[in-house]
Amino acid sequence: MTAALDDSTRSRINAWINGNLEQGHSPESIIEYITDNGFDKNAAMAAVYALLRGEIPGAVPYEYDPGAISRDRVVHTHDRTVRVLMRVERPQIALFDNALSADECDRIIEMAENRLKPSATIDPATGLFEEAETRTSESITLGISENPVIDSVERRISALMNSPMDYGEGLQVVRYRTGGQYMRHFDFYSPNDPGSIAHLSGGGQRVATLIIYLNDVEAGGETFFPDPGISFSPRKGQALYFRYFNKRGQLDPATIHAGLPVLAGEKWIMNKWMRRYPVPR
């Protein structure tokens, strides 16, 4: 016989689930443990995946709590001091200057250029990657700390985002040729989409993004946030941070954004996504 999860029990179990996810235990092992202790499996699955997904945007107004990154004008990393050029409070955005050196940018482009493949998006129903008209670019995901240059950059990014390296996905390098763009989208996984579950199982929901600009774009290619009406023109070595997951588990709908069409030349960027929980390696 199994027991249903009433509200008071659910609250205690949610705290226990969250603690185990933070320790790196897999969702499957947590569900199995709860079920073995007499609770309904479907209720256990619902409780675990609700924490992994986060709350549906728009259900209640998003609550802006204190962000994760430093409020200082500079951030001290293991090998350099990075200046904060600008902040936006709603949504939570920050622009870092000289996050990467010109040489690091050039070397990352060089190591990625011959490994690029057409960029894909996730099918909301199946969770499978597929090419889409909304995103016209080429990309490659680098291995975590796959060489000394990437390891140093990963450590610096961890400091800038104030999030452990273990919580980060691999760095994604992207090239947009002339005309390339990425239409309006969220970086978090949609809580409504069945296809999100497979991606949420390894680290939970995405909580923040860092876009690093690897070259100066001749024309176009701005990163545009329509809700606050702000756009950022790519500058080599700068990095744009934005956060969309608060401590309540809400997802910020104001972080919808777009990579506007490149009007001349090419645009190279590198994306770093941080998760709520450690990412299995």
Side-chain angles (χ1 to χ4, degrees), residues 99-120:
L100 266 66
S101 69
D103 180 64
E104 286 173 326
C105 292
D106 293 341
R107 292 179 69 180
I108 289 171
I109 289 175
E110 182 179 351
M111 70 178 67
E113 192 162 16
N114 293 327
R115 300 161 62 184
L116 296 171
K117 296 181 179 180
S119 298

Side-chain angles (χ1 to χ4, degrees), residues 12-264:
R12 294 194 302 272
I13 288 181
N14 280 348
W16 180 86
I17 293 170
N18 188 60
N20 278 272
L21 289 169
E22 288 178 345
Q23 293 174 30
H25 295 288
S26 71
E28 293 77 17
S29 67
I30 296 170
I31 292 168
E32 182 179 3
Y33 183 88
I34 296 173
T35 304
D36 287 347
N37 279 271
F39 291 99
D40 178 73
K41 184 174 183 179
N42 289 332
M45 291 176 63
V48 171
Y49 287 118
L51 283 176
L52 291 175
R53 286 193 303 264
E55 295 184 10
I56 297 171
V60 294
Y62 184 82
E63 181 180 301
Y64 287 97
D65 55 13
I69 64 171
S70 172
R71 299 298 301 179
D72 295 336
R73 294 183 179 180
V74 297
V75 179
H76 300 285
T77 73
H78 73 287
D79 63 347
R80 72 172 61 196
T81 297
V82 177
R83 184 172 297 277
V84 182
L85 292 181
M86 188 207 69
R87 296 181 189 273
V88 177
E89 298 300 327
R90 300 190 177 196
Q92 292 171 326
I93 299 173
L95 181 65
F96 297 107
D97 194 30
N98 196 32
L100 266 66
S101 69
D103 180 64
E104 286 173 326
C105 292
D106 293 341
R107 292 179 69 180
I108 289 171
I109 289 175
E110 182 179 351
M111 70 178 67
E113 192 162 16
N114 293 327
R115 300 161 62 184
L116 296 171
K117 296 181 179 180
S119 298
T121 58
I122 296 173
D123 183 285
T126 66
L128 299 176
F129 288 99
E130 62 178 9
E131 292 186 38
E133 295 181 357
T134 59
R135 188 181 189 190
T136 47
S137 62
E138 304 160 284
S139 58
I140 179 67
T141 299
L142 305 176
I144 297 292
S145 300
E146 67 174 49
N147 59 47
V149 172
I150 297 303
D151 180 70
S152 180
V153 169
E154 291 270 21
R155 292 170 64 191
R156 195 180 309 142
I157 287 172
S158 176
L160 293 176
M161 301 183 78
N162 194 25
S163 183
M165 288 178 61
D166 290 348
Y167 287 59
E169 298 180 32
L171 290 165
Q172 183 193 65
V173 182
V174 187
R175 174 173 66 188
Y176 294 89
R177 301 179 187 269
T178 301
Q181 64 176 315
Y182 196 172
M183 295 181 184
R184 295 183 184 189
H185 64 282
F186 295 109
D187 279 5
F188 56 75
Y189 295 105
S190 173
N192 291 315
D193 294 344
S196 295
I197 292 297
H199 301 278
L200 292 167
S201 295
Q205 187 59 268
R206 287 174 174 171
V207 300
T209 296
L210 190 73
I211 303 174
I212 302 170
Y213 300 105
L214 300 177
N215 74 320
D216 291 321
V217 181
E218 187 175 344
E222 296 88 352
T223 303
F224 175 56
F225 291 82
D227 278 12
I230 297 172
S231 65
F232 298 89
S233 298
R235 291 285 305 275
K236 185 174 183 176
Q238 292 184 344
L240 183 67
Y241 168 92
F242 54 102
R243 175 179 180 250
Y244 33 80
F245 189 98
N246 66 14
K247 293 177 182 178
R248 289 182 56 188
Q250 292 178 300
L251 294 158
D252 187 358
T255 58
I256 192 168
H257 61 286
L260 299 184
V262 176
L263 303 179

